[in-house]
Amino acid sequence: MDISGGIKASLAGRYAAALFELAEERKQLDTVEASLAKVKAALAESDEFRSLTTSPVVDRGEAVSAVKAVSSSLGIDPLTANFLGTLAENRRLAQLDGAIRAFSTIIAQYRGEANAEVATAHPLTDDQVAALKAKLKQLAGRDVNVDMTVDPSLLGGLVVRMGSRMIDGSLRTKLNSLASAMKG
């Protein structure tokens, strides 16, 4: 598969492309995708895990050991565990979040889908998510995978990033625009 040069231009993208190629070759795309979802959730939920991936102070050996322990506790597949180990060994754990996003983009392209990152001020109901997916599918002209996050600082509304497009319907942005307009 031809992977977009834009993705491969970044360090995280090159790691993601390598993981994708291995997963495709071994027919483990769905397994790796599920494991990366677990890792992404762990990054979001665990301050300790997130600091392990971003701290330059963590020793290489400690990082490799910690990644093995996390891989085991999350129950992720061996290929993804090896990927995490390689990142730790090469002192590239800071690229993990970007590599997960790049992998999602690559696999979406492979499947003929689009990816959208959606931040909302409050969690959406299942019906609201379904309506949002339908609207994004209409805009993109193909199925859209939606990665939802909650960002209370938006105050209300949502922000959608799909490829190079960004739709900002947040109350925070509207209030900032109004304040700027009132300043003259």
Side-chain angles (χ1 to χ4, degrees), residues 1 3 7 12-24 28-37 79-80 83 95-111 115 145:
M1 175 191 161
I3 298 170
I7 292 171
R14 288 192 297 273
Y15 276 102
L19 178 61
F20 174 83
E21 289 169 7
L22 283 171
E24 182 184 29
Q28 297 179 352
L29 286 173
D30 292 338
T31 304
V32 170
E33 184 179 32
S35 290
L36 287 177
L79 182 57
T80 307
F83 171 71
Q95 300 296 319
L96 180 57
D97 190 50
I100 292 171
R101 280 195 314 273
F103 185 89
S104 293
T105 300
I106 293 167
I107 204 163
Q109 287 176 353
Y110 176 76
R111 293 176 175 154
N115 271 350
N145 295 324

Side-chain angles (χ1 to χ4, degrees), residues 53-65:
T53 64
T54 57
S55 175
V57 182
V58 177
D59 175 72
R60 182 186 314 240
E62 291 173 351
V64 170
S65 297

Side-chain angles (χ1 to χ4, degrees), residues 40 44 116-124 146-152 154 157-159 161:
K40 184 177 181 175
E117 295 177 12
V118 178
T120 59
H122 306 285
L124 298 181
V146 178
D147 181 16
M148 302 289 301
T149 57
V150 176
D151 180 0
L154 295 177
L158 52 87
V159 177
R161 284 185 183 84

Side-chain angles (χ1 to χ4, degrees), residues 4-174:
S4 166
I7 292 171
K8 281 188 164 179
S10 71
L11 182 59
R14 288 192 297 273
Y15 276 102
L19 178 61
F20 174 83
E21 289 169 7
L22 283 171
E24 182 184 29
E25 180 182 298
R26 297 177 185 182
K27 310 237 183 290
Q28 297 179 352
L29 286 173
D30 292 338
T31 304
V32 170
E33 184 179 32
S35 290
L36 287 177
K38 291 178 187 176
V39 172
K40 184 177 181 175
L43 281 171
E45 295 167 7
S46 170
D47 291 335
E48 286 180 6
F49 185 44
R50 193 171 40 259
S51 69
L52 166 75
T53 64
T54 57
S55 175
V57 182
V58 177
D59 175 72
R60 182 186 314 240
E62 291 173 351
V64 170
S65 297
V67 162
K68 283 181 183 176
V70 167
S71 297
S72 177
S73 71
L74 292 176
I76 63 175
D77 69 283
L79 182 57
T80 307
N82 287 341
F83 171 71
L84 293 175
T86 300
L87 287 176
E89 188 64 41
N90 294 335
R91 301 192 60 74
R92 300 287 191 222
L93 280 174
Q95 300 296 319
L96 180 57
D97 190 50
I100 292 171
R101 280 195 314 273
F103 185 89
S104 293
T105 300
I106 293 167
I107 204 163
Q109 287 176 353
Y110 176 76
R111 293 176 175 154
E113 301 169 341
N115 271 350
E117 295 177 12
V118 178
T120 59
H122 306 285
L124 298 181
T125 66
D126 291 341
D127 290 341
Q128 290 170 323
V129 171
L132 177 62
K133 283 183 177 182
K135 186 65 175 173
L136 292 175
K137 180 178 181 177
Q138 187 179 23
L139 284 171
R142 56 188 171 169
D143 286 336
V144 178
N145 295 324
V146 178
D147 181 16
M148 302 289 301
T149 57
V150 176
D151 180 0
S153 72
L154 295 177
L155 302 176
L158 52 87
V159 177
V160 178
R161 284 185 183 84
M162 189 165 51
S164 62
R165 298 167 84 181
M166 184 170 117
I167 303 164
D168 189 340
S170 68
L171 184 56
R172 176 183 64 196
T173 299
K174 290 177 183 175

